Amino acid sequence: MKTMVRRVYGLLVVLCIWASTAMGQSSGLVDEWPMGRVYLASGDSVSGKITYHRSEDLVRILKTDGSVVAYAPVAVRGFEAIDNEGRYRRVFVTQRWNFGNDYSDFLAPAFFEQIVIGNYGLLKRETMTRRDISRDPMYRNGYYRGGYYNPYGGYPMGGPMYVEQRLENFFVLLPNGKVKELRNVKKDLEMIYGKKSNVMKEYVRQNKLKYTSLPDLAKIVSYLGAISQPEVRTSSVDM
């Protein structure tokens, strides 16, 4: 038993060292909150300033004593982040996921922001993408750039113009505990509805809900869970 404990502890130490090293190579997709708490898989918790490196899927905590620790999802059950005034709390949980490879049975821990808790859960992850704004109407339909007018649309003089943009990716946590990515939110949700398709479509229509709106999407998933037979409830971090 002592040998097993030492092995587990050693694994967590290695993960923390690896996470701290990766922080120095992190990308720009980073969120910070002045306070929060990380709930570890060991049952302990750590509080302090939270920095979430989304691209690397790592969470770093600056503790009140000035020390810094960092964790990968495998060592964490979840974490909560709180704004300056302590009014708003965002909750992130660890779920096992195939990282978009539907043809693989391999599942690895990953952080997800928890939007809806229930028989069906709504989860979110954010990624960074580069968008070519040269294809936007204001550029296609003729515009001035650098003192020259381009009346023919198409690419502006100088070629494509890219900007970095955050992209929200949504997932449904099914009653069986599997994470289902919503690549096409409306189409994929309607597949999940199954026999409740008519009821759900009527609910969306009567309440004039949009699949492109996060508050509306949360209502849709919450309602689906409410009218479904209780099976295995999606888990939440015990705060």
Side-chain angles (χ1 to χ4, degrees), residues 161-173:
M161 181 183 297
Y162 293 98
V163 296
E164 289 193 337
Q165 186 176 44
R166 284 201 180 201
L167 181 66
E168 293 182 327
N169 303 285
F170 296 103
F171 306 77
V172 168
L173 183 57

Side-chain angles (χ1 to χ4, degrees), residues 168 170 184-186 189 204 208-218 220:
E168 293 182 327
F170 296 103
N184 183 315
V185 177
K186 183 177 184 294
L189 270 178
V204 172
K208 299 180 180 179
L209 301 179
K210 297 180 179 179
Y211 287 92
T212 54
S213 165
L214 178 54
D216 287 359
L217 186 58
I220 292 170

Side-chain angles (χ1 to χ4, degrees), residues 29 54 113 124-131 163-171 181-183 185:
L29 194 56
R54 291 180 180 270
E113 184 170 3
K124 184 180 78 168
R125 283 173 63 88
E126 292 183 14
T127 56
M128 190 74 80
T129 185
R130 295 179 73 225
R131 187 168 68 89
V163 296
E164 289 193 337
Q165 186 176 44
R166 284 201 180 201
L167 181 66
E168 293 182 327
N169 303 285
F170 296 103
F171 306 77
E181 184 173 2
L182 302 178
R183 294 186 175 91
V185 177

Side-chain angles (χ1 to χ4, degrees), residues 27-224:
S27 69
L29 194 56
V30 178
D31 288 315
E32 294 184 341
W33 295 274
M35 65 186 80
R37 184 177 294 272
V38 176
Y39 299 86
L40 304 178
S42 64
D44 296 327
S45 64
V46 183
S47 59
K49 180 180 178 180
I50 299 287
T51 302
Y52 177 26
H53 295 252
R54 291 180 180 270
S55 297
E56 292 77 18
D57 228 15
L58 297 171
V59 59
R60 184 180 64 181
I61 308 95
L62 173 61
K63 299 195 290 186
T64 54
D65 63 4
S67 60
V68 177
V69 290
Y71 299 98
V74 69
V76 176
R77 291 189 296 121
F79 64 94
E80 59 178 346
I82 306 171
D83 70 353
N84 281 309
E85 299 179 356
R87 295 182 302 173
Y88 303 106
R89 185 182 70 164
R90 297 176 68 173
V91 176
F92 297 80
V93 294
T94 299
Q95 297 289 345
R96 298 180 68 82
W97 178 43
N98 63 12
F99 284 82
N101 186 356
D102 295 336
Y103 300 100
S104 173
D105 294 327
F106 177 74
L107 303 176
F111 289 133
F112 293 85
E113 184 170 3
Q114 187 170 258
I115 308 298
V116 171
I117 308 172
N119 195 36
Y120 287 84
L122 179 62
L123 307 172
K124 184 180 78 168
R125 283 173 63 88
E126 292 183 14
T127 56
M128 190 74 80
T129 185
R130 295 179 73 225
R131 187 168 68 89
D132 180 9
I133 62 173
S134 305
R135 294 297 189 180
D136 288 356
M138 67 172 289
Y139 291 97
R140 289 202 310 267
N141 297 333
Y143 70 103
Y144 284 96
R145 183 184 181 189
Y148 297 96
Y149 180 65
N150 173 22
Y152 305 108
Y155 278 117
M157 295 180 182
M161 181 183 297
Y162 293 98
V163 296
E164 289 193 337
Q165 186 176 44
R166 284 201 180 201
L167 181 66
E168 293 182 327
N169 303 285
F170 296 103
F171 306 77
V172 168
L173 183 57
L174 302 173
N176 61 8
K178 292 185 178 181
V179 174
K180 169 66 176 177
E181 184 173 2
L182 302 178
R183 294 186 175 91
N184 183 315
V185 177
K186 183 177 184 294
K187 180 180 177 180
D188 291 345
L189 270 178
E190 289 179 347
M191 290 290 291
I192 293 174
Y193 293 162
K195 295 180 181 180
K196 298 178 177 62
S197 181
N198 291 337
V199 176
M200 288 302 303
K201 289 179 179 178
E202 182 63 16
Y203 172 76
V204 172
R205 187 189 66 80
Q206 285 188 350
N207 292 276
K208 299 180 180 179
L209 301 179
K210 297 180 179 179
Y211 287 92
T212 54
S213 165
L214 178 54
D216 287 359
L217 186 58
K219 292 177 183 178
I220 292 170
V221 175
S222 294
Y223 187 73
L224 176 61

